Amino acid sequence: MGVYRTDYLMWAVDVGAKAFDWSKHEAEGEGRPDRRFDVIYDGMSGQYCMAGKIIAKSDQYDGFTPKKIDPADIGVDRDDLARKVSDAFESPLTATDFALVLFSHYG
């Protein structure tokens, strides 16, 4: 069994690993087309559960390729995203709780 590293740039909030419930967040955890938002859950060490919108994702082997990202083109309705994440995790969140987060995820 190997470990793969993927780097993410997300417009996200860490809702806490204990908040993740597979039965409630399965579509988001699997990245299915019917998901309400994106979730990256640290099932390995239980340190985070990032919920929001993936802006960029690295290749497991080659990392990131250079890419210019214009903040105006991110296209995130921050209020709508906050509402969806708040409802899904039953936690009062506002758009100001979200930030650009760059992190490495191992799976």
Side-chain angles (χ1 to χ4, degrees):
M1 181 176 130
V3 175
Y4 297 98
R5 173 184 156 178
T6 306
D7 299 315
Y8 290 92
L9 176 62
M10 289 183 73
W11 186 257
V13 63
D14 185 355
V15 295
K18 291 182 181 180
F20 185 79
D21 181 338
W22 191 258
S23 65
K24 293 179 182 178
H25 312 116
E26 182 177 352
E28 290 76 23
E30 291 181 345
R32 293 190 333 222
D34 62 332
R35 70 188 181 276
R36 298 163 285 184
F37 47 85
D38 299 311
V39 165
I40 306 300
Y41 167 66
D42 179 17
M44 214 175 198
S45 60
Q47 295 198 358
Y48 58 84
C49 177
M50 295 293 179
K53 168 101 171 119
I54 295 172
I55 306 302
K57 176 181 170 183
S58 72
D59 179 80
Q60 292 178 345
Y61 303 103
D62 297 327
F64 279 115
T65 56
K67 179 179 179 182
K68 288 186 178 183
I69 300 170
D70 182 345
D73 293 336
I74 291 176
V76 175
D77 181 335
R78 296 173 184 178
D79 291 325
D80 185 52
L81 182 61
R83 192 171 28 263
K84 288 176 182 177
V85 174
S86 290
D87 291 347
F89 288 96
E90 299 173 1
S91 177
L93 298 167
T94 66
T96 60
D97 293 314
F98 290 75
L100 280 175
V101 181
L102 178 64
F103 64 100
S104 297
H105 177 74
Y106 297 87

XYZ file of all heavy atoms in Angstrom:
843
model
N 0.840 -1.181 0.000
C 0.000 0.000 0.000
C 0.883 1.242 0.000
O 1.780 1.372 0.809
C -0.895 -0.015 1.232
C -1.825 1.159 1.303
S -2.917 0.988 2.729
C -2.724 2.576 3.450
N 0.612 2.154 -0.895
C 1.385 3.381 -0.968
C 0.584 4.553 -0.454
O -0.614 4.476 -0.226
N 1.277 5.632 -0.259
C 0.637 6.868 0.165
C 0.802 7.876 -0.964
O 1.895 8.060 -1.489
C 1.269 7.409 1.462
C 0.687 8.756 1.822
C 1.065 6.425 2.605
N -0.285 8.503 -1.336
C -0.270 9.503 -2.394
C -0.437 10.880 -1.779
O -1.205 11.065 -0.851
C -1.398 9.255 -3.396
C -1.265 7.947 -4.109
C -1.972 6.835 -3.694
C -0.411 7.832 -5.198
C -1.836 5.616 -4.351
C -0.270 6.623 -5.860
C -0.986 5.525 -5.432
O -0.842 4.332 -6.076
N 0.283 11.839 -2.339
C 0.179 13.219 -1.882
C -0.478 14.034 -2.978
O -0.079 13.978 -4.139
C 1.563 13.775 -1.601
C 1.544 15.257 -1.282
C 2.931 15.772 -1.098
N 2.956 17.205 -1.358
C 4.027 17.931 -1.242
N 5.166 17.384 -0.894
N 3.962 19.217 -1.495
N -1.467 14.809 -2.591
C -2.124 15.740 -3.492
C -2.152 17.088 -2.793
O -2.499 17.176 -1.620
C -3.555 15.287 -3.823
O -3.519 13.950 -4.317
C -4.192 16.182 -4.860
N -1.767 18.136 -3.514
C -1.809 19.486 -2.963
C -3.068 20.178 -3.471
O -3.451 20.009 -4.635
C -0.565 20.272 -3.388
C 0.713 19.620 -2.888
O 0.757 19.228 -1.712
O 1.664 19.494 -3.680
N -3.685 20.946 -2.599
C -4.930 21.636 -2.931
C -4.812 23.122 -2.620
O -4.211 23.511 -1.619
C -6.096 21.095 -2.102
C -6.524 19.705 -2.469
C -5.975 18.605 -1.821
C -7.474 19.489 -3.455
C -6.369 17.319 -2.150
C -7.878 18.210 -3.781
C -7.321 17.130 -3.128
O -7.708 15.859 -3.463
N -5.426 23.921 -3.466
C -5.712 25.312 -3.171
C -7.231 25.386 -3.143
O -7.894 25.071 -4.141
C -5.142 26.247 -4.239
C -5.480 27.733 -4.060
C -4.902 28.271 -2.745
C -4.987 28.544 -5.241
N -7.766 25.748 -1.986
C -9.223 25.783 -1.818
C -9.668 27.101 -1.214
O -8.941 27.719 -0.442
C -9.697 24.675 -0.868
C -9.615 23.275 -1.390
S -10.287 22.065 -0.210
C -12.066 22.382 -0.326
N -10.861 27.496 -1.573
C -11.578 28.538 -0.857
C -12.377 27.745 0.162
O -13.360 27.086 -0.182
C -12.485 29.330 -1.793
C -13.112 30.483 -1.093
C -14.390 30.568 -0.635
C -12.481 31.703 -0.730
N -14.592 31.764 -0.012
C -13.429 32.488 -0.057
C -11.198 32.199 -0.892
C -13.141 33.746 0.444
C -10.925 33.460 -0.397
C -11.886 34.222 0.256
N -11.907 27.721 1.426
C -12.450 26.738 2.359
C -12.411 27.204 3.806
O -11.795 28.198 4.153
C -11.660 25.435 2.235
N -13.063 26.395 4.613
C -13.035 26.523 6.068
C -12.802 25.122 6.621
O -13.288 24.138 6.059
C -14.347 27.138 6.605
C -15.551 26.263 6.308
C -14.257 27.433 8.093
N -12.029 25.028 7.685
C -11.810 23.746 8.352
C -12.951 23.560 9.345
O -13.012 24.237 10.365
C -10.455 23.748 9.066
C -10.111 22.404 9.691
O -10.956 21.482 9.661
O -8.980 22.280 10.204
N -13.851 22.636 9.032
C -14.995 22.380 9.916
C -14.642 21.384 11.011
O -15.468 21.109 11.879
C -16.239 21.913 9.119
C -16.746 23.002 8.212
C -15.944 20.637 8.354
N -13.427 20.837 10.962
C -12.984 19.871 11.968
C -13.265 18.452 11.527
O -14.356 18.151 11.030
N -12.309 17.596 11.692
C -12.434 16.208 11.229
C -13.592 15.474 11.900
O -14.244 14.638 11.282
C -11.127 15.457 11.466
N -13.884 15.806 13.146
C -14.972 15.117 13.856
C -16.344 15.477 13.300
O -17.312 14.765 13.522
C -14.904 15.426 15.346
C -13.704 14.788 16.005
C -13.661 15.065 17.486
C -12.415 14.406 18.069
N -12.308 14.628 19.500
N -16.426 16.580 12.562
C -17.710 17.003 11.982
C -18.080 16.188 10.750
O -19.242 16.155 10.352
C -17.655 18.494 11.617
N -17.086 15.522 10.140
C -17.348 14.766 8.920
C -18.127 13.502 9.253
O -17.754 12.727 10.122
C -16.034 14.397 8.222
C -16.238 13.720 6.898
C -16.553 14.458 5.775
C -16.136 12.343 6.785
C -16.751 13.838 4.547
C -16.323 11.713 5.565
C -16.629 12.464 4.451
N -19.235 13.300 8.550
C -20.088 12.119 8.721
C -20.342 11.550 7.334
O -21.039 12.164 6.523
C -21.401 12.527 9.388
C -22.344 11.358 9.626
O -22.237 10.312 8.943
O -23.215 11.494 10.511
N -19.777 10.389 7.061
C -19.861 9.795 5.723
C -21.310 9.677 5.255
O -21.606 9.937 4.082
C -19.166 8.438 5.697
C -19.013 7.939 4.304
C -19.768 6.989 3.679
C -18.072 8.390 3.321
N -19.353 6.824 2.377
C -18.308 7.671 2.139
C -17.051 9.330 3.344
C -17.562 7.863 0.984
C -16.317 9.522 2.192
C -16.570 8.790 1.026
N -22.225 9.327 6.142
C -23.622 9.147 5.728
C -24.271 10.463 5.302
O -25.192 10.466 4.495
C -24.435 8.495 6.845
O -24.524 9.339 7.973
N -23.780 11.588 5.808
C -24.331 12.892 5.459
C -23.543 13.596 4.351
O -24.082 14.437 3.647
C -24.334 13.818 6.676
C -25.265 13.401 7.781
C -25.162 14.375 8.922
C -26.047 13.980 10.074
N -25.906 14.899 11.213
N -22.262 13.278 4.231
C -21.371 14.016 3.334
C -20.718 13.123 2.291
O -19.656 13.435 1.771
C -20.293 14.740 4.153
C -20.841 15.510 5.311
N -20.545 15.205 6.620
C -21.700 16.558 5.350
C -21.189 16.040 7.422
N -21.896 16.870 6.673
N -21.367 12.022 1.970
C -20.799 11.048 1.034
C -20.531 11.655 -0.344
O -19.457 11.461 -0.911
C -21.730 9.840 0.896
C -21.208 8.770 -0.006
C -22.123 7.554 -0.076
O -23.098 7.465 0.692
O -21.861 6.699 -0.926
N -21.489 12.380 -0.890
C -21.317 12.965 -2.234
C -20.128 13.923 -2.253
O -19.340 13.924 -3.206
C -22.593 13.696 -2.667
N -19.978 14.709 -1.199
C -18.872 15.662 -1.123
C -17.543 14.927 -0.928
O -16.537 15.275 -1.542
C -19.102 16.660 0.023
C -20.233 17.631 -0.226
C -21.635 17.032 -0.059
O -21.793 16.027 0.650
O -22.563 17.581 -0.661
N -17.526 13.927 -0.076
C -16.312 13.162 0.193
C -15.805 12.397 -1.012
O -14.603 12.201 -1.178
N -16.737 11.977 -1.871
C -16.364 11.242 -3.084
C -16.167 12.158 -4.283
O -15.746 11.706 -5.337
C -17.439 10.206 -3.423
C -17.510 9.061 -2.439
C -18.554 8.029 -2.811
O -19.431 8.298 -3.663
O -18.501 6.933 -2.231
N -16.517 13.442 -4.147
C -16.392 14.377 -5.269
C -17.380 14.109 -6.385
O -17.111 14.385 -7.550
N -18.546 13.587 -6.022
C -19.548 13.239 -7.032
C -20.168 14.486 -7.660
O -20.153 15.570 -7.073
C -20.642 12.382 -6.390
C -20.146 11.030 -5.955
C -21.246 10.079 -5.539
N -22.446 10.675 -5.032
C -23.118 10.206 -3.972
N -22.677 9.148 -3.310
N -24.223 10.784 -3.579
N -20.744 14.332 -8.864
C -21.380 15.482 -9.543
C -22.538 16.088 -8.750
O -22.831 17.272 -8.920
C -21.889 14.889 -10.859
C -21.053 13.676 -11.082
C -20.714 13.144 -9.713
N -23.184 15.323 -7.877
C -24.319 15.847 -7.110
C -23.895 16.491 -5.784
O -24.747 16.846 -4.968
C -25.348 14.747 -6.854
C -24.800 13.592 -6.018
O -23.578 13.326 -6.065
O -25.608 12.922 -5.334
N -22.590 16.705 -5.587
C -22.121 17.311 -4.338
C -22.553 18.773 -4.256
O -22.733 19.441 -5.270
C -20.601 17.174 -4.222
C -19.829 18.029 -5.196
C -18.343 17.680 -5.151
N -17.560 18.488 -6.038
C -17.371 18.260 -7.327
N -17.940 17.213 -7.898
N -16.625 19.050 -8.056
N -22.688 19.253 -3.046
C -23.071 20.647 -2.810
C -21.853 21.562 -2.791
O -21.951 22.760 -3.051
C -23.804 20.762 -1.472
C -25.103 19.951 -1.437
C -25.584 19.745 -0.039
N -24.740 18.721 0.611
C -24.936 18.249 1.831
N -25.919 18.711 2.557
N -24.136 17.322 2.334
N -20.702 21.008 -2.440
C -19.429 21.728 -2.340
C -18.348 20.659 -2.288
O -18.644 19.473 -2.345
C -19.396 22.630 -1.086
C -19.866 21.930 0.153
C -18.996 21.163 0.923
C -21.196 21.997 0.548
C -19.434 20.495 2.048
C -21.650 21.328 1.677
C -20.764 20.576 2.437
N -17.097 21.067 -2.179
C -15.989 20.112 -2.124
C -15.570 19.875 -0.675
O -15.598 20.798 0.145
C -14.785 20.643 -2.903
C -15.092 20.859 -4.376
O -15.654 19.929 -5.001
O -14.783 21.935 -4.900
N -15.187 18.635 -0.376
C -14.675 18.278 0.945
C -13.393 17.476 0.773
O -13.352 16.530 -0.015
C -15.695 17.435 1.751
C -15.030 16.770 2.950
C -16.841 18.283 2.242
N -12.379 17.859 1.521
C -11.165 17.057 1.631
C -11.053 16.705 3.110
O -10.841 17.575 3.964
C -9.905 17.816 1.146
C -10.100 18.342 -0.274
C -8.680 16.900 1.237
C -10.365 17.279 -1.323
N -11.229 15.413 3.383
C -11.287 14.916 4.750
C -10.020 14.132 5.070
O -9.620 13.243 4.317
C -12.520 14.025 4.907
C -12.538 13.210 6.166
C -12.640 13.827 7.401
C -12.453 11.827 6.127
C -12.666 13.085 8.567
C -12.487 11.070 7.279
C -12.589 11.710 8.497
O -12.602 10.975 9.649
N -9.384 14.469 6.160
C -8.177 13.780 6.601
C -8.577 12.540 7.391
O -8.624 12.558 8.618
C -7.319 14.724 7.450
C -6.057 14.061 7.970
O -5.673 13.010 7.442
O -5.448 14.613 8.902
N -8.839 11.460 6.665
C -9.217 10.208 7.309
C -8.031 9.471 7.889
O -8.193 8.555 8.684
N -6.830 9.865 7.493
C -5.618 9.189 7.949
C -5.256 9.574 9.386
O -5.048 8.716 10.233
C -4.469 9.548 7.006
C -3.477 8.503 6.774
S -2.343 9.160 5.520
C -1.622 7.652 5.022
N -5.171 10.868 9.652
C -4.772 11.303 10.992
C -5.846 12.130 11.698
O -5.666 12.524 12.838
C -3.463 12.096 10.928
O -3.615 13.232 10.114
N -6.949 12.409 11.012
C -8.063 13.107 11.640
C -7.750 14.520 12.097
O -8.235 14.955 13.135
N -6.964 15.255 11.293
C -6.596 16.604 11.708
C -7.430 17.711 11.076
O -7.408 18.827 11.569
C -5.114 16.841 11.423
C -4.244 15.940 12.257
C -2.816 16.422 12.328
O -2.457 17.427 11.726
N -2.006 15.717 13.060
N -8.139 17.427 9.986
C -8.917 18.483 9.335
C -10.018 17.889 8.461
O -9.989 16.733 8.085
C -8.024 19.395 8.480
C -7.255 18.648 7.412
C -7.827 18.342 6.184
C -5.948 18.222 7.641
C -7.129 17.641 5.211
C -5.234 17.529 6.676
C -5.840 17.242 5.464
O -5.151 16.548 4.503
N -10.948 18.749 8.149
C -11.969 18.486 7.136
C -12.215 19.833 6.462
O -12.897 20.693 7.008
C -13.254 17.950 7.764
S -14.563 17.688 6.545
N -11.601 20.022 5.303
C -11.733 21.275 4.571
C -12.986 21.212 3.706
O -13.157 20.284 2.911
C -10.516 21.521 3.680
C -9.240 21.725 4.437
S -9.312 23.252 5.375
C -7.726 23.183 6.166
N -13.851 22.185 3.876
C -15.093 22.249 3.113
C -15.133 23.571 2.374
O -14.861 24.622 2.960
C -16.298 22.127 4.042
N -15.444 23.521 1.090
C -15.514 24.735 0.293
C -15.456 24.433 -1.181
O -16.161 23.557 -1.672
N -14.579 25.127 -1.897
C -14.455 24.994 -3.352
C -12.987 24.794 -3.707
O -12.139 25.606 -3.334
C -14.988 26.262 -4.025
C -14.671 26.382 -5.490
C -15.850 26.008 -6.313
C -15.582 26.357 -7.770
N -15.607 25.229 -8.624
N -12.690 23.706 -4.410
C -11.333 23.467 -4.885
C -11.045 24.431 -6.034
O -11.780 24.466 -7.016
C -11.140 22.013 -5.343
C -11.298 21.051 -4.163
C -9.768 21.832 -6.011
C -11.310 19.578 -4.550
N -9.971 25.192 -5.894
C -9.554 26.147 -6.923
C -8.521 25.489 -7.840
O -8.557 25.639 -9.049
C -8.973 27.422 -6.293
C -9.943 28.036 -5.278
C -8.563 28.424 -7.361
C -11.308 28.392 -5.817
N -7.570 24.771 -7.241
C -6.536 24.075 -8.001
C -6.126 22.828 -7.232
O -6.142 22.811 -6.004
C -5.333 24.977 -8.227
N -5.756 21.803 -7.990
C -5.377 20.513 -7.411
C -4.144 20.015 -8.155
O -4.094 20.061 -9.378
C -6.542 19.537 -7.592
C -6.291 18.141 -7.144
C -7.530 17.294 -7.414
C -7.221 15.837 -7.204
N -8.373 14.997 -7.522
N -3.154 19.543 -7.404
C -1.931 19.052 -8.035
C -2.132 17.638 -8.571
O -3.030 16.919 -8.164
C -0.777 19.049 -7.032
O -0.956 18.018 -6.076
N -1.223 17.265 -9.460
C -1.140 15.897 -9.924
C -0.408 15.095 -8.843
O 0.528 15.608 -8.221
C -0.365 15.848 -11.246
C -0.212 14.437 -11.767
O -1.183 13.933 -12.355
O 0.866 13.856 -11.557
N -0.803 13.841 -8.608
C -0.192 13.038 -7.551
C 1.297 12.812 -7.768
O 2.032 12.581 -6.817
C -0.892 11.691 -7.437
C -2.296 11.803 -6.919
C -2.995 10.452 -6.847
O -2.549 9.478 -7.433
N -4.097 10.407 -6.136
N 1.750 12.862 -9.001
C 3.152 12.565 -9.282
C 3.953 13.786 -9.684
O 5.130 13.885 -9.355
C 3.251 11.496 -10.385
C 2.507 10.240 -10.025
C 1.272 9.958 -10.585
C 3.028 9.348 -9.101
C 0.585 8.808 -10.244
C 2.345 8.192 -8.753
C 1.114 7.929 -9.323
O 0.433 6.798 -8.967
N 3.337 14.707 -10.400
C 4.071 15.843 -10.959
C 3.859 17.153 -10.213
O 4.443 18.162 -10.571
C 3.693 16.038 -12.429
C 4.087 14.847 -13.285
O 5.119 14.221 -12.957
O 3.371 14.544 -14.247
N 3.018 17.173 -9.210
C 2.772 18.407 -8.470
C 1.940 19.394 -9.261
O 1.154 19.025 -10.131
N 2.105 20.669 -8.952
C 1.403 21.732 -9.666
C 2.176 22.120 -10.918
O 3.402 22.147 -10.916
C 1.286 22.995 -8.806
C 0.182 22.974 -7.798
C 0.469 22.988 -6.453
C -1.140 22.968 -8.186
C -0.539 22.993 -5.497
C -2.161 22.972 -7.254
C -1.858 22.980 -5.900
N 1.450 22.431 -11.951
C 2.066 23.082 -13.099
C 1.778 24.569 -12.928
O 0.774 24.942 -12.313
C 1.479 22.576 -14.431
O 0.063 22.768 -14.419
C 1.782 21.094 -14.632
N 2.637 25.439 -13.433
C 2.387 26.878 -13.268
C 1.017 27.267 -13.830
O 0.657 26.878 -14.936
C 3.521 27.531 -14.067
C 4.601 26.520 -14.077
C 3.898 25.192 -14.127
N 0.280 27.988 -13.039
C -1.056 28.409 -13.438
C -1.342 29.753 -12.790
O -1.192 29.894 -11.581
C -2.080 27.371 -12.971
C -3.499 27.718 -13.301
C -4.450 26.622 -12.829
C -5.870 26.979 -13.142
N -6.822 25.984 -12.662
N -1.726 30.721 -13.598
C -2.115 32.020 -13.061
C -3.571 31.938 -12.636
O -4.419 31.458 -13.388
C -1.944 33.111 -14.107
C -0.505 33.440 -14.389
C -0.411 34.627 -15.336
C 1.029 34.983 -15.561
N 1.162 36.166 -16.412
N -3.826 32.412 -11.433
C -5.183 32.404 -10.908
C -5.563 33.833 -10.560
O -4.979 34.442 -9.668
C -5.291 31.509 -9.657
C -4.899 30.067 -10.004
C -6.692 31.565 -9.073
C -4.742 29.169 -8.818
N -6.524 34.351 -11.283
C -7.025 35.694 -11.019
C -8.146 35.565 -9.985
O -9.144 34.880 -10.241
C -7.564 36.307 -12.316
C -8.056 37.727 -12.134
O -8.250 38.172 -10.979
O -8.253 38.395 -13.159
N -8.004 36.187 -8.813
C -9.044 36.068 -7.789
C -10.439 36.430 -8.292
O -11.439 35.862 -7.841
C -8.584 37.033 -6.696
C -7.113 37.110 -6.876
C -6.880 36.977 -8.365
N -10.512 37.324 -9.256
C -11.814 37.711 -9.803
C -12.455 36.582 -10.603
O -13.665 36.565 -10.805
C -11.663 38.947 -10.680
N -11.637 35.631 -11.062
C -12.149 34.526 -11.868
C -12.455 33.261 -11.070
O -12.829 32.245 -11.639
C -11.141 34.165 -12.975
C -11.001 35.277 -13.990
O -11.934 36.096 -14.129
O -9.941 35.331 -14.644
N -12.271 33.302 -9.762
C -12.498 32.107 -8.949
C -13.965 31.677 -9.028
O -14.269 30.504 -9.032
C -12.032 32.320 -7.496
C -10.499 32.409 -7.477
C -12.499 31.209 -6.591
C -9.909 32.714 -6.118
N -14.855 32.632 -9.114
C -16.260 32.313 -9.332
C -16.950 31.633 -8.163
O -17.738 30.718 -8.354
N -16.674 32.062 -6.959
C -17.303 31.483 -5.781
C -18.304 32.482 -5.220
O -17.945 33.611 -4.903
C -16.246 31.140 -4.699
C -16.909 30.644 -3.426
C -15.253 30.122 -5.218
N -19.562 32.052 -5.135
C -20.571 32.848 -4.442
C -20.363 32.558 -2.957
O -20.806 31.537 -2.439
C -21.973 32.457 -4.892
C -23.064 33.259 -4.214
O -22.842 33.766 -3.085
O -24.156 33.363 -4.792
N -19.643 33.428 -2.293
C -19.205 33.167 -0.917
C -20.361 32.992 0.052
O -20.317 32.147 0.935
C -18.279 34.282 -0.462
C -17.003 34.325 -1.275
C -16.163 35.518 -0.935
N -14.999 35.560 -1.815
C -14.107 36.504 -1.794
N -14.221 37.505 -0.951
N -13.085 36.471 -2.625
N -21.403 33.790 -0.106
C -22.559 33.670 0.792
C -23.277 32.341 0.580
O -23.667 31.680 1.546
C -23.527 34.838 0.589
C -22.940 36.156 1.066
O -22.192 36.151 2.070
O -23.213 37.189 0.431
N -23.456 31.953 -0.680
C -24.114 30.687 -0.988
C -23.286 29.504 -0.470
O -23.833 28.567 0.110
C -24.338 30.559 -2.496
C -25.127 29.324 -2.861
O -26.221 29.101 -2.276
O -24.650 28.554 -3.721
N -21.983 29.554 -0.669
C -21.106 28.493 -0.189
C -21.181 28.383 1.332
O -21.308 27.283 1.885
C -19.670 28.747 -0.640
C -18.633 27.699 -0.251
C -18.967 26.343 -0.855
C -17.246 28.150 -0.696
N -21.138 29.498 2.017
C -21.225 29.499 3.479
C -22.549 28.908 3.945
O -22.592 28.133 4.908
C -21.054 30.913 4.018
N -23.617 29.223 3.254
C -24.939 28.699 3.608
C -24.982 27.175 3.443
O -25.455 26.451 4.317
C -25.997 29.395 2.751
C -27.412 29.189 3.166
C -28.417 30.075 2.422
N -28.068 30.494 1.072
C -27.516 31.681 0.749
N -27.233 32.567 1.682
N -27.246 31.986 -0.506
N -24.450 26.689 2.325
C -24.460 25.246 2.064
C -23.614 24.478 3.078
O -24.033 23.440 3.581
C -23.952 24.960 0.653
C -24.920 25.357 -0.431
C -24.326 25.131 -1.812
C -25.278 25.562 -2.902
N -24.673 25.408 -4.236
N -22.421 24.992 3.370
C -21.550 24.318 4.338
C -22.162 24.391 5.741
O -22.141 23.416 6.490
C -20.121 24.901 4.299
C -19.252 24.309 5.400
C -19.477 24.654 2.934
N -22.737 25.541 6.090
C -23.405 25.686 7.392
C -24.512 24.667 7.561
O -24.623 24.016 8.609
C -24.005 27.090 7.537
O -23.014 28.045 7.678
N -25.342 24.533 6.537
C -26.449 23.570 6.598
C -25.943 22.135 6.697
O -26.447 21.344 7.482
C -27.357 23.710 5.371
C -28.144 25.004 5.354
O -28.199 25.692 6.401
O -28.692 25.345 4.286
N -24.931 21.806 5.893
C -24.431 20.434 5.844
C -23.756 20.008 7.144
O -23.853 18.850 7.551
C -23.459 20.270 4.681
N -23.070 20.944 7.791
C -22.344 20.607 9.012
C -23.023 21.139 10.270
O -22.473 21.025 11.366
C -20.900 21.114 8.932
C -20.073 20.317 7.972
C -19.885 20.747 6.674
C -19.499 19.115 8.356
C -19.130 20.005 5.776
C -18.744 18.360 7.475
C -18.560 18.810 6.174
N -24.211 21.723 10.098
C -24.988 22.258 11.215
C -24.113 23.140 12.103
O -24.041 22.970 13.321
C -25.634 21.124 12.008
C -26.595 20.311 11.161
C -27.141 19.083 11.859
O -26.798 18.839 13.032
O -27.913 18.362 11.223
N -23.445 24.087 11.445
C -22.531 25.000 12.124
C -22.737 26.397 11.549
O -22.763 26.562 10.334
C -21.093 24.536 11.875
O -20.173 25.415 12.448
N -22.897 27.405 12.395
C -23.135 28.758 11.881
C -21.865 29.358 11.278
O -20.950 29.756 11.997
C -23.583 29.537 13.119
C -22.951 28.804 14.266
C -22.879 27.357 13.857
N -21.806 29.403 9.957
C -20.660 29.962 9.248
C -21.109 31.113 8.372
O -22.242 31.122 7.885
C -20.005 28.891 8.362
C -19.427 27.678 9.076
C -19.115 26.569 8.083
C -18.181 28.078 9.849
N -20.215 32.065 8.182
C -20.474 33.164 7.261
C -19.354 33.188 6.227
O -18.329 32.511 6.380
C -20.516 34.524 7.990
O -19.215 34.804 8.509
C -21.547 34.525 9.112
N -19.522 33.981 5.206
C -18.525 34.094 4.143
C -17.161 34.506 4.689
O -16.127 34.104 4.160
C -18.998 35.086 3.087
N -17.137 35.265 5.768
C -15.865 35.723 6.336
C -15.086 34.603 7.030
O -13.907 34.772 7.332
C -16.069 36.894 7.318
O -16.921 36.461 8.381
C -16.677 38.095 6.609
N -15.711 33.468 7.270
C -15.020 32.329 7.879
C -14.142 31.590 6.870
O -13.267 30.815 7.252
C -16.024 31.332 8.477
C -16.767 31.920 9.657
O -16.111 32.528 10.525
O -18.007 31.771 9.707
N -14.368 31.825 5.588
C -13.648 31.126 4.525
C -12.408 31.910 4.114
O -12.379 33.131 4.194
C -14.556 30.924 3.306
C -15.651 29.930 3.549
C -16.749 30.256 4.324
C -15.582 28.657 3.009
C -17.748 29.340 4.563
C -16.577 27.733 3.232
C -17.663 28.071 4.014
N -11.390 31.184 3.654
C -10.152 31.805 3.207
C -9.527 30.911 2.128
O -9.916 29.753 1.971
C -9.188 31.956 4.378
N -8.546 31.455 1.415
C -7.751 30.633 0.516
C -6.820 29.788 1.373
O -6.094 30.311 2.217
C -6.932 31.493 -0.436
C -7.676 32.039 -1.637
C -6.774 32.969 -2.437
C -8.182 30.924 -2.530
N -6.871 28.472 1.179
C -6.081 27.546 1.985
C -5.274 26.669 1.021
O -5.836 26.066 0.100
C -6.995 26.647 2.856
C -6.164 25.708 3.706
C -7.930 27.486 3.699
N -3.968 26.604 1.242
C -3.083 25.748 0.456
C -2.563 24.671 1.393
O -2.017 24.974 2.457
C -1.917 26.571 -0.103
C -0.869 25.820 -0.906
C -1.474 25.223 -2.178
C 0.291 26.747 -1.253
N -2.767 23.401 1.030
C -2.345 22.311 1.912
C -2.062 21.038 1.116
O -2.499 20.888 -0.014
C -3.397 22.047 2.988
C -4.724 21.567 2.476
C -5.066 20.226 2.517
C -5.644 22.465 1.950
C -6.291 19.779 2.041
C -6.873 22.036 1.466
C -7.194 20.684 1.508
N -1.295 20.156 1.746
C -1.000 18.845 1.179
C -1.874 17.816 1.872
O -2.015 17.820 3.093
C 0.472 18.484 1.396
O 1.308 19.384 0.720
N -2.460 16.938 1.078
C -3.338 15.893 1.601
C -2.738 14.538 1.225
O -2.338 14.319 0.080
C -4.733 16.041 0.985
C -5.691 14.979 1.384
N -6.253 14.942 2.644
C -6.187 13.925 0.722
C -7.072 13.903 2.705
N -7.029 13.265 1.549
N -2.671 13.640 2.178
C -2.105 12.315 1.958
C -3.217 11.290 2.030
O -4.044 11.315 2.917
C -1.026 12.018 2.986
C 0.134 12.967 2.892
C 0.129 14.180 3.568
C 1.221 12.667 2.084
C 1.192 15.060 3.471
C 2.289 13.554 1.962
C 2.256 14.742 2.668
O 3.305 15.614 2.549
N -3.207 10.390 1.064
C -4.267 9.378 1.057
C -3.803 8.097 0.429
O -2.754 7.949 -0.082
